[in-house]
Amino acid sequence: MRSWRDYCKEWLDTLVVAISVAMAFRAYFYEPFNIPTGSMQPTLWGYHSDASAVKGAWDAFPLSLLKWAWSGESYVEHKAESAGMARFRNRGDGFADVAVGLSRKTFKVPTDAIGEIAGRYYREGETVWKGSVTTGDFIFVNRWVWNFRRPRDGEVMIFSTTGIAGLPQGTHYIKRMKARPGETYVLEHPVAGRPGEVTMGAGEYFACGDNFANSNDSRYWGPVPSENLRGVGSFVFWPFNGWRTIR
């Protein structure tokens, strides 16, 4: 069953796209993009949870709407529909669907909360997880700047995964550019069994997440072709309390 938070998120997505199209920016200048995972933390935040959060006055309707609109944060509490073990399925969007026992009803939590839930036994009616869930950053991607200059090392790059082996096709990733064509990069956080130094060929870019411990990046699947580049992460525009330029 869809919650009001799901409808609110869809409303926000629609609003952002409508404004962007109306200003003729979305296609050629600044495109909105949502950060689903934590691979770029602490520079950019995906959907994340805080199990230590306590429900307060701002978590009661209708104040909860104002809190969510300002900070992207909402308080949730999920109870087991039946007794049994908790099981989950990763959705690939920063969330996982969780079910308990034989119940077919699922609820979703950010993937960083799964370690507290998966494999545990719960009684019927017992709280499976409660705490705050914060929406991932919404950013504007600068689509025009690379038409006037070359990409620079250290820029936060958005690229298409189409044609890159080992990645889900038809989506976009956001990482930090570590090496450009012809450059050699000595990995700051090498992966066991893989090269600790790489040299980029023509039209190749090496991309790594800032959260090296939790980032599926070029260390695993290789360089990003130049034709896949989409733009530079420019500005966080929502949640409102997190407005900032991206560096």
Side-chain angles (χ1 to χ4, degrees):
M1 180 179 295
R2 295 165 65 84
S3 68
W4 63 266
R5 296 184 184 87
D6 292 323
Y7 288 108
C8 287
K9 179 182 180 297
E10 290 181 0
W11 174 85
L12 179 65
D13 286 342
T14 302
L15 178 63
V16 169
V17 171
I19 292 174
S20 301
V21 170
M23 298 175 67
F25 279 178
R26 189 179 191 277
Y28 302 105
F29 298 98
Y30 289 95
E31 180 177 5
F33 186 85
N34 178 222
I35 308 299
T37 69
S39 69
M40 282 297 293
Q41 290 176 193
T43 305
L44 296 168
W45 288 81
Y47 293 92
H48 56 283
S49 64
D50 180 6
S52 67
V54 178
K55 187 175 183 178
W58 282 91
D59 296 304
F61 184 84
L63 293 180
S64 58
L65 290 175
L66 297 176
K67 178 181 178 180
W68 177 81
W70 173 252
S71 66
E73 181 182 348
S74 56
Y75 185 87
V76 299
E77 183 171 356
H78 301 292
K79 295 182 180 294
E81 291 287 309
S82 64
M85 302 288 286
R87 61 189 191 280
F88 73 95
R89 179 182 63 85
N90 199 324
R91 297 156 51 105
D93 61 354
F95 285 93
D97 287 324
V98 179
V100 178
L102 298 177
S103 174
R104 294 185 177 181
K105 182 177 180 180
T106 63
F107 57 87
K108 65 178 187 178
V109 297
T111 53
D112 64 359
I114 291 302
E116 308 169 37
I117 299 173
R120 289 185 56 188
Y121 180 89
Y122 294 93
R123 300 183 300 274
E124 183 178 353
E126 183 180 359
T127 296
V128 179
W129 192 87
K130 63 180 180 179
S132 68
V133 176
T134 304
T135 301
D137 289 332
F138 279 72
I139 71 172
F140 277 126
V141 177
N142 187 323
R143 294 290 302 272
W144 58 267
V145 66
W146 285 340
N147 293 322
F148 299 95
R149 64 166 176 82
R150 294 181 178 179
R152 298 170 179 169
D153 288 340
E155 288 187 316
V156 174
M157 57 188 284
I158 290 80
F159 58 93
S160 168
T161 61
T162 301
I164 301 179
L167 293 184
Q169 301 296 292
T171 187
H172 291 81
Y173 273 20
I174 181 167
K175 306 291 179 184
R176 192 173 297 279
M177 188 177 296
K178 292 294 186 178
R180 299 172 298 172
E183 293 181 342
T184 296
Y185 172 52
V186 179
L187 275 65
E188 301 151 82
H189 299 270
V191 176
R194 297 179 183 272
E197 180 178 300
V198 293
T199 299
M200 296 296 95
E204 293 184 339
Y205 296 83
F206 204 81
C208 290
D210 287 354
N211 184 6
F212 284 99
N214 186 30
S215 176
N216 180 22
D217 51 40
S218 289
R219 295 173 299 165
Y220 299 93
W221 37 259
V224 178
S226 59
E227 60 267 23
N228 287 53
L229 299 185
R230 292 294 179 265
V232 183
S234 177
F235 186 79
V236 177
F237 67 88
W238 194 76
F240 295 136
N241 67 345
W243 282 358
R244 63 191 183 277
T245 56
I246 300 171
R247 302 185 184 280

